[in-house]
Amino acid sequence: MTWLFAAALFLSAALLFCVQPMAAKMLLPLLGGAPAVWTTCVVFFQAVLLGGYLYAHASLRWFGVRRQAALHALLLLPLALLPISLGGDPSPAAAATYDASPIASALRLLATSVGLPFFALSATAPLLQRWFSRLGRPGGEDPYFLYAASNLGSMLALAAYPLLLEPRLDLAGQSRLWHGGLVVLIALIGAAAFALRRAASASASAPASASAPAPASAPASASASASASAPASASASAPASAPASASASASAPASAPGDAGPPAAARPITWARRLRWTALAFVPSSFLLGVTTYVTTDLAAVPLFWVVPLALYLASFILVFARKPPIPHAAVVRLLPLAATIVAGVLLAEITGPVWLLACTHLAVFSLACMVCHGELAADRPRASDLTELYLWMSAGGVLGGLFNALVAPAVFVSVIEYPLAMVLACACRPADAGEEGDERAGWSDATGPLALGSLTVALVFVAESAGVPFRLRFLAIFAVPLLLNTRAARRPLRFALGLGAILLASGLHHGVLGPPIDRDRNFFGVLRVTRDRAGRFHQLVHGRIVHGRQSLDPLRRREPTGYYHPSGPIGDVFAVAGARVSRVGVIGLGPGAMACHAWPGQSWTFYEINPAVVRIASDPRLFSYLSDCLPDPGQRAIVLGDARLRLREAAPGAFDLLALDAFSSDAIPAHLLTREAIALYVEKLAPRGLLLIHISNLHLDLAPVVAALADDAGLSARLRDDQEITSELEALGKSTSTWVVLARDGADLEGLPERDAGWVPLQRRPGVKAWTDAFSDVVSVLRWRQP
């Protein structure tokens, strides 16, 4: 009988983790990549997850285990007839409706397609654990193996979707496979409910002298919004493995001799205890999103990397809720302040390599933080009959952590401080060492010590700046002493955390390697900064640590496009050859507006940009003057705000002589802009001899084979120029390496492009790489396992 519950938990968790990226991928071509869409997905899945746990807790309290099992089985039966399909209308009229109200459209599409299955799946895990505790079977007093089965299902689903399912099946095939898995799960849950009913009947006919042992162990369940390039977020609820015994009624718990639960199991559940559970779940959930965003934005925009921290997050539950945790909790508590100090030093020093070592360092402190917070939850788990209440409050904390990072932080903070803030809060969650509590003088120093460290850091910043300390030495001069002094407070969690927070806060006065900020803007797309480089030669548009464009401050070179758009690069070739016959230009992705300086007299330019912060920055001549200098007549240029797939539909057929795709999310083109359907839209908007330019520079993805497959699929001629060789003189003038592809209906329209000396070459299709569609993409097949 044990295998039945283990299999059901494994399959339930796997289906839960697969349906979320699948649904988000279905939404993308209908609603675009606007932040309102992604945020709505995050909020929807987190809210339904919390609702599922609330249903599990309330239904057990109201109906008891036996009647609740029958209720849940009846809830699941109709799902066998429901396919997973959003059923959205892709017509232009419907697209206009979706675009006018993306939040309402996303909620409606999600609720009518995946809402009920996701709700049922999220409630199934804790319910199955509770049912198993009432069977009276061997192992019921220690159900950790069931929890392990659930987390194994979650982890395998995390890896299987991008590595196995997405490359082999389109969305229709994924939906059919998922629906088949759901039917199997319904059968397993029905069998589990029948086994529970038989056990209850047998117990009623036997001498009523004992109650069934009741474990408490629930699987961690996460909600994530997935895009083709990077994840948005996750929330999780955790297990509680308290081998206490319970009476036959779920609402009337009773202890039994031989309880092996922790001392906290017998304590009453007060509001203070509930709030503590919520806080201990909030911190790792926020930390999960923060570390994922930081590593994929500031270190390496590696596709699929979000799987790694989420897997570590889930693994922490397995480790700390084991009957015999393999890593002592006290050891983790002692290691966290040391790891946090090292990561704080790495952040303050702005170290950028080696990337693999930095990523491991950040993931190590994240893992320790999860182990500390989840370990505290394990130590404070209640008796088995109250396990669903623990799950409910932990789920609430996970949801709040996700909402904080997704909604609150972008609206409140001007920089990404939620990641270091989560690290500071995790340090504060550590239990104090024995003998450290109750000392009034030490308690007073918990406030004065951090204040002194912050003041010292501020003073050192001003001294180092005014004394002209070489930049490479400033980190040591400013931060080494405060960080070392703070380690002396490691045995007092609050003092250490406040001291670390004070140092990090004071570091905001220190200008980093990218130079002093001139302007800063944050929204749901991230943080954009305009900085002046340390040599004082350029204004730079910076996202994280990536420079997305620059402009010379030399008045004689203000109109010279730099970066990827330098006249000696691929974009210069195209305009030199075709510029005279091009009168209408469309550009998907604005950046600082550097491409505008390739404009010829009499041309009209239309820019499509999804981020309003980019529009504001590029339109401000005090920051970047490309648009005002190179397209001085406002009638020459138009900026269309919104997702390009949606907005471009409004243009007339043949509206452009040249259309350039230059949109990036982190280090990659958003996948829905590089599909068969997207290419067909671009070609429809091109004039008969029109050219399609696609910027495919990328450190981690080799997009050339994808574009080659798309060109072959659409019957287009294509050439590529990989401009990687840059002289030191051109580099000093601001040129960057870049890779571009140009496509045309007729190869004759590409004649004239230079073919020698790293010039334009025919784009060759790679065997095994298929054309991407709105229903199919395969990132794994084009990963660069070694950076160029």
Side-chain angles (χ1 to χ4, degrees), residues 344-346 348-350 470-480 483 510:
V346 169
L348 295 171
E350 297 188 272
F471 184 77
R472 294 181 180 275
L473 299 177
R474 287 188 189 180
F475 163 73
L476 292 176
I478 297 172
F479 301 111
L483 287 173
H510 173 61

Side-chain angles (χ1 to χ4, degrees), residues 31 94-105 646-647:
L31 301 178
T97 302
Y98 295 150
D99 191 43
S101 55
I103 295 178
S105 298
L646 302 180
R647 292 299 189 187

